[in-house]
């Protein structure tokens, strides 16, 4: 009986360690603190979906445009874009509806930032991030 309990304890500890290792490897350095998101470099369970889910950022004279090249339909669409700092401060956000033709949003970012993140949330394929600076 003790051997069985020891085996169960060992299994639980090993599982917890594995989960911690997986969590650590998933949380890459190109994601904001305390937020998990998929990215081009880390597509996780959505391997192959980066091109249609990772936000694309263009910048011109302090105006940032975020685009997710994803279809917009009632059952599958981009729900939201957000711009956040490394500390998680939200600098801008835009909510989309399935009736919107494209998932494109624009923001005026004040000041210089060495590390900002554009987030794009798909209703089926979770949260995606692209790091950028202005
Ligand atoms: Fe999607």
């Amino acid at each position: 009986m003790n051997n069985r309990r020891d085996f169960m304890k060992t299994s639980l500890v090993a599982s917890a360690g594995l989960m911690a290792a997986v969590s650590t490897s998933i949380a890459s350095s190109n994601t904001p603190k305390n937020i998990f998101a998929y990215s081009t470099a880390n597509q996780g369970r959505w391997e192959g979906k980066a091109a249609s889910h990772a936000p694309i950022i263009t910048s011109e004279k302090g105006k940032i445009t975020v685009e997710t090249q994803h279809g917009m339909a009632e059952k599958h669409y981009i729900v939201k874009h957000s711009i956040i700092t490394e500390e998680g401060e939200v600098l801008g956000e835009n909510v989309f509806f399935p009736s919107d033709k494209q998932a494109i949003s624009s923001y005026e970012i004040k000041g210089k930032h060495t590390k900002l993140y554009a987030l794009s949330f798909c209703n089926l394929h979770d949260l995606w991030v692209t790091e950028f600076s202005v």
Side-chain angles (χ1 to χ4, degrees):
M1 190 65 141
N2 280 343
N3 286 341
R4 191 174 184 177
R5 282 190 184 149
D6 289 343
F7 173 76
M8 293 299 287
K9 284 181 190 173
T10 302
S11 297
L12 285 172
V13 169
S15 297
L18 179 61
M19 290 302 290
V22 169
S23 297
T24 301
S25 66
I26 286 174
S28 64
S29 63
N30 67 342
T31 57
K33 293 174 183 169
N34 301 320
I35 294 177
F36 172 77
Y38 297 98
S39 66
T40 300
N42 177 21
Q43 298 180 49
R45 69 182 184 132
W46 302 122
E47 186 71 35
K49 297 209 177 284
S52 58
H53 289 81
I56 297 167
I57 293 90
T58 53
S59 173
E60 188 176 331
K61 297 178 183 175
K63 182 180 174 186
I64 302 300
T65 299
V66 178
E67 177 180 7
T68 308
Q69 296 182 335
H70 189 285
M72 297 294 277
E74 188 70 35
K75 292 184 178 177
H76 186 191
Y77 65 102
I78 297 301
V79 176
K80 188 175 185 178
H81 282 166
S82 301
I83 304 292
I84 66 170
T85 66
E86 192 172 17
E87 292 73 32
E89 180 186 359
V90 178
L91 300 181
E93 56 190 341
N94 190 77
V95 175
F96 299 103
F97 299 93
S99 58
D100 290 330
K101 290 182 181 170
Q102 293 178 298
I104 297 179
S105 57
S106 294
Y107 310 87
E108 290 203 20
I109 306 295
K110 294 179 179 165
K112 274 216 164 279
H113 299 268
T114 54
K115 215 178 241 190
L116 291 176
Y117 302 92
L119 300 174
S120 179
F121 187 79
C122 170
N123 71 320
L124 296 183
H125 301 111
D126 304 318
L127 185 63
W128 290 73
V129 65
T130 300
E131 181 184 324
F132 68 101
S133 60
V134 291

